[in-house]
Amino acid sequence: MSSPYESLEKSILSGDTEAGTAEAVRLITRGIDPLLLFSESIEPLLDDIGQKFSRLEIFLPEMVNASKVVKAIHKAIQPHLTADQTTKSKGKIIIATVSGDLHDIGKNIVKAMLEVNGFEVHDLGVDASTQTIVKQAKEFDADIIALSALMLPSLPFVQDVIEFMESSPSTKVIVGGGPVSNEWADEHGADGYGDNAIDAVALVKELLSN
Amino acid sequence: MRHTTRLLDIIERSLSGPLMEEEDFNDQHVTQGLSRVVKKYDIQINQDQIINQDDALADRVWEAAVDFLAECGVYCQTTNRVIKFSVQEIKDILKYAPDRVRVGAGTDAVEEYARNVEDSRRPLLMGSSIGTPIEDEFFVPSMISYIQEPEVDVTMAPTLTNIYGYDIRTRSPLEILSSWREVELTLESMRRAGRPGMAFTGVGSSISDIGQLSADGPGGLRQTDLHTFGIISELKTNFEILNKLTHILMRDGVVDPYANPIYGGLGGGMDGQAVLITAAMIALNVFFMATCVGTSPTHPFNFNDTGKELLISSGLSFQALARNSHLMTNLTNTPVGGPGTKTLLYECVALTVMMTVSGGSRILGPRSATGSITGHFSGLEARFTGELLSAASKISRSQAEEIVQKAYKKYENDLTQKPYGKHFKDVYDLKTIQPTAEWQGMYDDVKNEVAKWGLSFD
């Protein structure tokens, strides 16, 4: 017997937003609990997509497209939810490449991996000023600020954000990129370091579970 | 030079090209564009073979790259516009691309030239850590360890970890100071090693236009040096990059930029990556008037380019470029292994042999330990690379395939373990600037082993 979610999962995998949202709404209006829809189908599927990307069996565009479909599903099913059925994100994350650094694909890979793992990510892009990062983190009520710096002369700007956020200990600051390391993160007061996108997801999960 | 007359045209197109959101450019132009041409030109890669042996496939990659680039264009982040050239314009421009250039001065000058697939002429070696961080005190001895090697033709500086004890900060006076310090120490290293006219690429310590431009002029980077900048992945620019380009052209310097596509990113797998590398190298000449065009494709998790996927796609791309243009192409060797490990040396074998038989004009590096670990590089791996360039110039692609497969088997399981090795000070005697007995012994062992595989170091 085929899974009731087969068509939905096919749409997510192929990045078909229209078909994915229509199928999700159809399933809910036919009586499937939205929370079960996520826990039984969408979340395991996204986890699988993240795992496949970490083995490079699929690539960034497929992962981003799947994530876009799921975001659209979230939005489309809102009118069909009761007050106790709201789906919660696993955590809110601000992500940015810091001032003076224009590398964005590494950051985009981390962003996509976080999104497919169920985190709500607000992307400030590249060359983001300290002021912008700090302000947006407060407005977004971020649990975590994830900073990318691929060039040594950009590291002082990471340090600036860490110092700014010392007064907001509930928001964790994590770092990644070529010139940083576990040692650098420890020495400079960051809450964690991710060597790559796979590490970053594990780190975020660990920080938010504490 | 006769190919550097398009500056105002490029600026004009960056101000008048189609407006577009960057995310749409990534998705519609790059990802969908690559997917289209991969299908249209039937780009199918044999994943069991590292070095492409199929000329027709290399030619299809070339056709796909030109088609893709003409449709995709280059995105200007400053103006949110797409700079475009038609297929015919691209082909017309490439006719006038330079096929040779003399760099350096006096008796240290060397000539770089376009090479063919299986060309018997040795490619050039830019022996350098390619911008890997280093403490001020080790800057000069580490650079001498490269420059003193007769195999090294041109060089590039490492990056200072700080300037006079201060952290270097982009777009600040400290960045300008570090740019000047980099040039000052590089010139001193070349004088001390007895090769004062050797060309070097700069300015590596600077990211911003103001940092680079400040040290690119009288007393700093010379006209006979290589003037570098990177474009933004994938196929993007901004006015800071165009400022650098404009300054280099006004100085009549050798334009030596690079583009580093990320494997598994917007280009997807090996097929898309091969087309993307090819298109990016063409774009460096067409859109940025490069004299020489460079790349260091990057693995998204290991940050190297010596894994099988990138050896395959880079080699195919270099063959496409060598067979269909006279562009002078260069590849940065970014291994995972660091000094004091045999992993590094086996990675050098695989990538250097692959690039040599695939028609590259110059190899850069090795940027040992992925270029991210302070001080983890040394001149010995550059000596080995130079010897490999000469040896690999005498063999065919099929012979190269056997050797590269053997080398790859030696290190494939090490890539995720990241054996970053040791700091320069721990693998070299700082007084004599010679490798320690242990490091020299590893080099001797691997060289002897590789000679038995069929590479002649005579």
Side-chain angles (χ1 to χ4, degrees):
Chain A
M1 195 177 134
S2 64
S3 155
Y5 305 122
E6 196 176 315
S7 173
L8 174 72
E9 291 174 0
K10 202 173 160 190
S11 303
I12 293 171
L13 285 170
S14 63
D16 188 337
T17 304
E18 204 176 318
T21 50
E23 180 61 11
V25 169
R26 191 186 71 81
L27 288 169
I28 289 169
T29 51
R30 290 206 169 183
I32 288 193
D33 182 333
L35 296 180
L36 283 181
L37 182 79
F38 273 82
S39 65
E40 288 183 350
S41 170
I42 294 177
E43 285 174 10
L45 179 66
L46 290 179
D47 185 52
D48 185 50
I49 288 170
Q51 295 291 330
K52 280 184 175 153
F53 179 71
S54 69
R55 296 189 298 269
L56 291 172
E57 292 167 8
I58 62 162
F59 304 109
L60 182 64
E62 288 102 304
M63 195 163 63
V64 168
N65 288 338
S67 174
K68 278 181 185 167
V69 178
V70 174
K71 272 189 193 169
I73 290 172
H74 264 289
K75 201 172 167 186
I77 65 172
Q78 289 307 312
H80 304 278
L81 302 180
T82 59
D84 60 343
Q85 284 180 323
T86 50
T87 53
K88 273 180 66 181
S89 81
K90 291 178 179 170
K92 290 180 167 185
I93 299 163
I94 287 273
I95 193 165
T97 303
V98 297
S99 243
D101 198 328
L102 300 167
H103 293 88
D104 72 342
I105 294 191
K107 175 209 35 108
N108 291 345
I109 290 173
V110 175
K111 176 190 169 189
M113 285 281 277
L114 288 168
E115 283 182 339
V116 298
N117 278 277
F119 298 101
E120 193 179 345
V121 186
H122 185 39
D123 183 3
L124 301 182
V126 298
D127 200 10
S129 72
T130 303
Q131 179 79 0
T132 302
I133 295 167
V134 171
K135 196 173 166 204
Q136 289 289 314
K138 285 178 180 163
E139 282 182 18
F140 188 58
D141 192 22
D143 299 301
I144 286 178
I145 299 174
L147 299 177
S148 166
L150 263 83
M151 309 297 283
L152 205 59
S154 292
L155 279 188
F157 299 103
V158 176
Q159 177 65 48
D160 288 350
V161 175
I162 293 169
E163 278 185 42
F164 253 112
M165 296 311 293
E166 277 171 3
S167 57
S168 308
S170 61
T171 304
K172 308 294 181 196
V173 181
I174 63 172
V175 296
V180 288
S181 59
N182 257 327
E183 294 72 35
W184 190 94
D186 286 347
E187 280 170 25
H188 293 81
D191 295 294
Y193 159 76
D195 184 55
N196 55 45
I198 305 161
D199 277 5
V201 171
L203 176 63
V204 164
K205 284 180 177 171
E206 185 193 329
L207 285 171
L208 292 182
S209 68
N210 292 334
Chain B
M1 293 179 89
R2 64 181 182 170
H3 76 292
T4 54
T5 57
R6 294 187 299 285
L7 180 61
L8 288 173
D9 190 13
I10 304 284
I11 295 169
E12 162 61 22
R13 292 184 198 217
S14 76
L15 294 167
S16 62
L19 273 169
M20 192 167 218
E21 293 280 349
E22 189 170 340
E23 201 171 320
D24 292 339
F25 177 81
N26 290 343
D27 181 34
Q28 294 162 24
H29 280 219
V30 182
T31 298
Q32 291 181 31
L34 286 167
S35 175
R36 175 182 68 82
V37 297
V38 163
K39 285 192 194 96
K40 180 177 172 184
Y41 294 92
D42 191 27
I43 310 300
Q44 292 186 45
I45 289 176
N46 173 2
Q47 300 185 17
D48 296 328
Q49 191 173 61
I50 292 179
I51 296 177
N52 176 57
Q53 314 283 327
D54 179 352
D55 289 341
L57 175 61
D59 293 345
R60 291 203 303 280
V61 167
W62 169 266
E63 290 299 327
V66 173
D67 181 339
F68 161 71
L69 185 61
E71 288 293 316
C72 178
V74 166
Y75 187 78
C76 179
Q77 292 176 326
T78 312
T79 60
N80 304 112
R81 291 181 186 274
V82 182
I83 308 169
K84 293 186 90 168
F85 284 88
S86 68
V87 168
Q88 194 55 51
E89 284 177 314
I90 291 170
K91 288 183 175 172
D92 289 344
I93 287 167
L94 288 174
K95 277 186 209 163
Y96 296 101
D99 63 357
R100 57 189 57 238
V101 63
R102 189 177 170 82
V103 295
T107 55
D108 295 317
V110 291
E111 187 173 71
E112 184 163 328
Y113 39 81
R115 292 177 71 250
N116 299 314
V117 173
E118 298 180 0
D119 198 316
S120 61
R121 295 170 299 167
R122 176 189 179 275
L124 257 55
L125 168 60
M126 177 175 279
S128 160
S129 68
I130 314 293
T132 304
I134 187 81
E135 303 89 343
D136 194 296
E137 66 192 292
F138 301 116
F139 191 107
V140 170
S142 71
M143 274 214 81
I144 291 174
S145 79
Y146 291 91
I147 300 164
Q148 70 185 1
E149 294 293 343
E151 293 285 347
V152 171
D153 301 294
V154 293
T155 192
M156 180 180 177
T159 307
L160 287 163
T161 51
N162 63 67
I163 179 72
Y164 308 133
Y166 293 94
D167 287 340
I168 301 160
R169 189 177 278 252
T170 306
R171 299 183 190 128
S172 79
L174 293 163
E175 190 185 30
I176 295 175
L177 285 172
S178 74
S179 296
W180 276 105
R181 182 77 175 146
E182 175 190 314
V183 173
E184 176 190 320
L185 292 175
T186 302
L187 294 173
E188 183 190 333
S189 304
M190 294 195 299
R191 278 194 295 270
R192 280 179 53 181
R195 301 176 82 177
M198 178 185 268
F200 69 100
T201 283
V203 180
S205 295
S206 173
I207 304 170
S208 76
D209 51 358
I210 189 68
Q212 168 144 344
L213 268 52
S214 67
D216 188 346
L221 207 64
R222 305 158 299 188
Q223 237 175 2
T224 53
D225 292 321
L226 295 143
H227 304 246
T228 194
F229 56 84
I231 68 166
I232 302 162
S233 297
E234 308 295 353
L235 294 169
K236 292 175 198 165
T237 188
N238 60 25
F239 276 180
E240 251 187 330
I241 291 169
L242 294 177
N243 288 344
K244 291 180 186 179
L245 170 64
T246 304
H247 181 75
I248 297 166
L249 292 177
M250 292 303 100
R251 291 212 63 224
D252 201 16
V254 178
V255 186
D256 187 34
Y258 58 90
N260 298 343
I262 313 289
Y263 179 68
L266 301 182
M270 282 179 269
D271 43 13
Q273 181 77 2
V275 177
L276 181 56
I277 296 170
T278 311
M281 304 272 265
I282 296 169
L284 290 177
N285 178 266
V286 172
F287 296 72
F288 300 93
M289 290 166 275
T291 316
C292 315
V293 297
T295 188
S296 179
T298 309
H299 188 279
F301 306 130
N302 299 332
F303 313 115
N304 63 327
D305 59 4
T306 53
K308 195 172 183 182
E309 303 95 334
L310 282 171
L311 289 172
I312 291 173
S313 44
S314 302
L316 178 55
S317 170
F318 271 66
Q319 290 185 27
L321 289 153
R323 285 180 52 78
N324 294 280
S325 78
H326 52 261
L327 290 171
M328 288 177 275
T329 56
N330 64 72
L331 179 64
T332 299
N333 176 13
T334 307
V336 165
T341 71
K342 287 189 177 180
T343 305
L344 164 58
L345 301 172
Y346 290 125
E347 289 178 273
C348 287
V349 174
L351 189 126
T352 307
V353 170
M354 176 278 286
M355 193 213 76
T356 305
V357 299
S358 298
S361 292
R362 188 199 330 151
I363 197 161
L364 282 62
R367 183 161 54 183
S368 309
T370 70
S372 59
I373 310 297
T374 299
H376 282 226
F377 54 83
S378 80
L380 186 61
E381 55 261 35
R383 181 199 302 172
F384 188 44
T385 300
E387 292 166 338
L388 288 164
L389 290 173
S390 299
S393 303
K394 301 169 196 155
I395 61 172
S396 66
R397 278 177 289 179
S398 59
Q399 290 169 298
E401 171 70 11
E402 285 181 29
I403 292 163
V404 171
Q405 289 283 6
K406 283 180 182 161
Y408 182 69
K409 281 193 177 62
K410 290 280 185 179
Y411 69 79
E412 66 176 321
N413 295 326
D414 296 346
L415 294 176
T416 53
Q417 305 306 311
K418 303 188 178 173
Y420 289 146
K422 295 179 179 175
H423 191 283
F424 173 73
K425 66 180 165 52
D426 300 319
V427 291
Y428 262 65
D429 179 323
L430 294 177
K431 193 172 176 189
T432 61
I433 314 189
Q434 290 300 317
T436 59
E438 184 190 17
W439 185 212
Q440 176 74 38
M442 286 186 190
Y443 155 84
D444 291 338
D445 286 350
V446 174
K447 190 174 165 185
N448 289 335
E449 184 180 5
V450 171
K452 287 177 193 156
W453 295 349
L455 278 178
S456 167
F457 293 105
D458 296 336

Coordinates of all heavy atoms in Angstrom, one line a residue, chain B residues 17-53:
Chain B
G17 N 22.5 47.1 -18.4 CA 22.0 45.7 -18.7 C 20.7 45.5 -18.0 O 20.2 46.3 -17.2
P18 N 20.0 44.3 -18.2 CA 18.7 44.0 -17.6 C 18.8 44.0 -16.1 O 19.7 43.4 -15.5 CB 18.4 42.6 -18.1 CG 19.4 42.3 -19.2 CD 20.5 43.3 -19.1
L19 N 17.8 44.6 -15.4 CA 17.8 44.6 -14.0 C 17.3 43.3 -13.5 O 16.4 42.7 -14.1 CB 16.8 45.7 -13.5 CG 17.3 47.1 -13.3 CD1 16.2 48.1 -13.1 CD2 18.3 47.2 -12.1
M20 N 17.8 42.8 -12.4 CA 17.4 41.5 -11.9 C 17.7 41.4 -10.4 O 18.7 41.9 -9.9 CB 18.1 40.5 -12.7 CG 17.6 39.1 -12.5 SD 18.3 38.0 -13.7 CE 17.0 36.9 -14.0
E21 N 16.9 40.6 -9.7 CA 17.2 40.3 -8.3 C 18.3 39.2 -8.3 O 18.3 38.3 -9.2 CB 16.0 39.7 -7.6 CG 14.8 40.6 -7.3 CD 15.1 41.5 -6.1 OE1 16.0 41.3 -5.3 OE2 14.3 42.5 -6.0
E22 N 19.2 39.3 -7.3 CA 20.4 38.4 -7.3 C 19.9 36.9 -7.2 O 20.4 36.0 -7.9 CB 21.3 38.7 -6.2 CG 22.6 37.9 -6.3 CD 23.7 38.5 -5.3 OE1 23.6 39.6 -4.9 OE2 24.6 37.7 -5.0
E23 N 18.9 36.7 -6.4 CA 18.4 35.3 -6.2 C 17.8 34.7 -7.5 O 18.0 33.6 -7.8 CB 17.3 35.3 -5.1 CG 17.1 34.0 -4.5 CD 16.2 34.0 -3.3 OE1 16.3 34.9 -2.5 OE2 15.4 33.1 -3.2
D24 N 17.2 35.6 -8.3 CA 16.6 35.2 -9.6 C 17.8 34.8 -10.5 O 17.7 33.9 -11.3 CB 15.7 36.2 -10.2 CG 14.4 36.4 -9.4 OD1 14.1 35.5 -8.7 OD2 13.8 37.5 -9.5
F25 N 18.8 35.6 -10.5 CA 20.0 35.4 -11.3 C 20.6 34.0 -11.0 O 20.9 33.2 -11.9 CB 21.1 36.5 -11.1 CG 22.3 36.2 -11.9 CD1 22.4 36.5 -13.3 CD2 23.5 35.6 -11.3 CE1 23.6 36.3 -14.0 CE2 24.6 35.4 -12.0 CZ 24.7 35.7 -13.3
N26 N 20.7 33.7 -9.7 CA 21.3 32.4 -9.2 C 20.4 31.3 -9.8 O 21.0 30.3 -10.3 CB 21.3 32.3 -7.7 CG 22.3 33.2 -7.0 OD1 23.2 33.7 -7.7 ND2 22.1 33.5 -5.8
D27 N 19.1 31.4 -9.6 CA 18.3 30.3 -9.9 C 18.0 30.2 -11.4 O 18.3 29.2 -12.1 CB 16.9 30.5 -9.2 CG 16.0 29.4 -9.5 OD1 16.4 28.2 -9.6 OD2 14.7 29.6 -9.5
Q28 N 17.5 31.3 -12.0 CA 17.1 31.3 -13.4 C 18.3 31.3 -14.4 O 18.3 30.6 -15.4 CB 16.2 32.4 -13.7 CG 14.8 32.4 -13.0 CD 14.1 33.7 -12.9 OE1 14.3 34.6 -13.8 NE2 13.3 33.9 -12.0
H29 N 19.3 32.1 -14.1 CA 20.4 32.2 -15.1 C 21.4 31.1 -14.9 O 21.8 30.5 -15.8 CB 21.0 33.6 -15.0 CG 20.3 34.7 -15.7 ND1 20.9 35.7 -16.4 CD2 18.9 34.9 -15.8 CE1 19.9 36.5 -17.0 NE2 18.8 36.0 -16.6
V30 N 21.9 31.0 -13.6 CA 23.0 30.0 -13.4 C 22.5 28.6 -13.3 O 22.8 27.8 -14.2 CB 23.8 30.4 -12.1 CG1 25.0 29.4 -12.0 CG2 24.3 31.8 -12.2
T31 N 21.7 28.3 -12.3 CA 21.3 26.9 -12.2 C 20.5 26.3 -13.3 O 20.8 25.3 -13.9 CB 20.5 26.7 -10.9 OG1 21.3 27.1 -9.8 CG2 20.0 25.3 -10.6
Q32 N 19.4 27.1 -13.7 CA 18.6 26.6 -14.8 C 19.3 26.6 -16.2 O 19.2 25.8 -17.0 CB 17.3 27.4 -14.9 CG 16.4 27.1 -13.8 CD 15.1 27.9 -13.9 OE1 14.6 28.2 -14.9 NE2 14.5 28.3 -12.7
G33 N 20.2 27.6 -16.3 CA 21.0 27.8 -17.5 C 21.9 26.6 -17.7 O 22.1 26.0 -18.8
L34 N 22.6 26.2 -16.6 CA 23.5 25.0 -16.7 C 22.8 23.7 -16.9 O 23.2 22.9 -17.7 CB 24.3 24.9 -15.4 CG 25.4 26.0 -15.2 CD1 25.9 26.0 -13.8 CD2 26.6 25.7 -16.2
S35 N 21.6 23.6 -16.3 CA 20.8 22.4 -16.5 C 20.4 22.3 -18.0 O 20.5 21.2 -18.6 CB 19.6 22.5 -15.6 OG 18.7 21.5 -15.8
R36 N 20.1 23.4 -18.6 CA 19.7 23.5 -20.0 C 20.8 23.0 -20.9 O 20.6 22.1 -21.7 CB 19.2 24.9 -20.4 CG 18.9 25.1 -21.8 CD 18.6 26.5 -22.2 NE 19.7 27.4 -22.0 CZ 20.6 27.6 -23.0 NH1 20.5 27.0 -24.1 NH2 21.6 28.5 -22.8
V37 N 22.0 23.6 -20.7 CA 23.1 23.2 -21.6 C 23.6 21.8 -21.4 O 24.1 21.2 -22.3 CB 24.2 24.3 -21.7 CG1 23.7 25.6 -22.1 CG2 24.9 24.4 -20.3
V38 N 23.6 21.4 -20.1 CA 24.1 20.0 -19.8 C 23.2 19.0 -20.6 O 23.8 18.0 -21.2 CB 24.0 19.7 -18.3 CG1 24.1 18.2 -18.0 CG2 25.2 20.4 -17.6
K39 N 21.9 19.2 -20.7 CA 21.0 18.4 -21.5 C 21.3 18.6 -23.0 O 21.4 17.6 -23.7 CB 19.6 18.6 -21.2 CG 19.1 18.1 -19.8 CD 17.6 18.2 -19.7 CE 17.2 18.0 -18.2 NZ 17.0 19.2 -17.5
K40 N 21.3 19.8 -23.4 CA 21.3 20.2 -24.8 C 22.6 19.6 -25.5 O 22.6 19.1 -26.6 CB 21.3 21.7 -25.0 CG 21.4 22.2 -26.5 CD 21.2 23.7 -26.5 CE 21.5 24.2 -27.9 NZ 21.5 25.7 -28.0
Y41 N 23.7 19.7 -24.7 CA 25.0 19.2 -25.3 C 25.4 17.8 -24.8 O 26.6 17.4 -25.1 CB 26.1 20.3 -25.0 CG 25.8 21.6 -25.7 CD1 25.1 22.6 -25.1 CD2 26.2 21.8 -27.0 CE1 24.8 23.8 -25.7 CE2 26.0 23.0 -27.7 CZ 25.3 24.0 -27.0 OH 25.0 25.2 -27.7
D42 N 24.5 17.2 -24.2 CA 24.7 15.8 -23.7 C 26.0 15.6 -23.0 O 26.9 14.8 -23.3 CB 24.7 14.9 -25.0 CG 24.7 13.4 -24.6 OD1 24.2 13.1 -23.5 OD2 25.2 12.6 -25.4
I43 N 26.2 16.4 -21.9 CA 27.4 16.3 -21.1 C 27.2 15.2 -20.1 O 26.5 15.3 -19.1 CB 27.7 17.7 -20.4 CG1 27.6 18.9 -21.3 CG2 29.0 17.6 -19.6 CD1 28.5 18.8 -22.5
Q44 N 27.8 14.0 -20.4 CA 27.7 12.9 -19.5 C 29.1 12.4 -19.2 O 29.9 12.2 -20.1 CB 26.9 11.8 -20.2 CG 25.5 12.1 -20.3 CD 24.7 10.9 -20.9 OE1 24.9 9.8 -20.4 NE2 23.8 11.1 -21.8
I45 N 29.4 12.4 -17.9 CA 30.8 12.1 -17.4 C 30.9 10.7 -16.9 O 30.1 10.2 -16.2 CB 31.2 13.1 -16.3 CG1 31.3 14.5 -17.0 CG2 32.4 12.7 -15.6 CD1 31.6 15.6 -16.0
N46 N 32.0 10.1 -17.4 CA 32.3 8.7 -16.9 C 33.1 8.9 -15.6 O 34.2 9.3 -15.5 CB 33.3 8.0 -17.9 CG 33.8 6.7 -17.5 OD1 33.5 6.3 -16.4 ND2 34.6 6.1 -18.3
Q47 N 32.4 8.5 -14.5 CA 32.9 8.8 -13.2 C 34.0 7.8 -12.8 O 34.6 8.0 -11.7 CB 31.8 8.8 -12.1 CG 30.7 9.9 -12.5 CD 29.6 10.0 -11.4 OE1 29.8 9.5 -10.3 NE2 28.5 10.6 -11.8
D48 N 34.2 6.8 -13.5 CA 35.3 5.8 -13.2 C 36.6 6.3 -13.7 O 37.7 5.8 -13.3 CB 35.0 4.5 -13.8 CG 33.8 3.8 -13.3 OD1 33.5 4.1 -12.1 OD2 33.1 3.1 -14.0
Q49 N 36.6 7.3 -14.6 CA 37.8 7.8 -15.2 C 38.1 9.2 -14.7 O 37.2 10.0 -14.8 CB 37.6 7.8 -16.7 CG 38.8 8.0 -17.6 CD 38.4 7.8 -19.0 OE1 37.6 8.6 -19.5 NE2 39.0 6.9 -19.7
I50 N 39.3 9.4 -14.2 CA 39.6 10.8 -13.7 C 40.0 11.7 -14.8 O 39.5 12.9 -14.9 CB 40.7 10.7 -12.6 CG1 40.2 9.9 -11.4 CG2 41.2 12.1 -12.2 CD1 41.2 9.8 -10.3
I51 N 40.8 11.3 -15.7 CA 41.3 12.2 -16.8 C 40.5 11.9 -18.1 O 40.6 10.8 -18.6 CB 42.8 12.1 -17.0 CG1 43.5 12.6 -15.7 CG2 43.2 13.0 -18.2 CD1 45.0 12.4 -15.8
N52 N 39.8 12.9 -18.5 CA 39.0 12.7 -19.7 C 39.8 12.3 -20.9 O 40.9 12.9 -21.2 CB 38.3 14.0 -20.1 CG 37.5 13.9 -21.4 OD1 36.6 13.1 -21.5 ND2 37.8 14.8 -22.3
Q53 N 39.4 11.3 -21.7 CA 40.1 10.8 -22.9 C 39.3 11.0 -24.1 O 39.6 10.6 -25.2 CB 40.3 9.3 -22.7 CG 40.9 8.8 -21.4 CD 42.4 9.1 -21.2 OE1 43.1 9.1 -22.1 NE2 42.8 9.4 -20.0

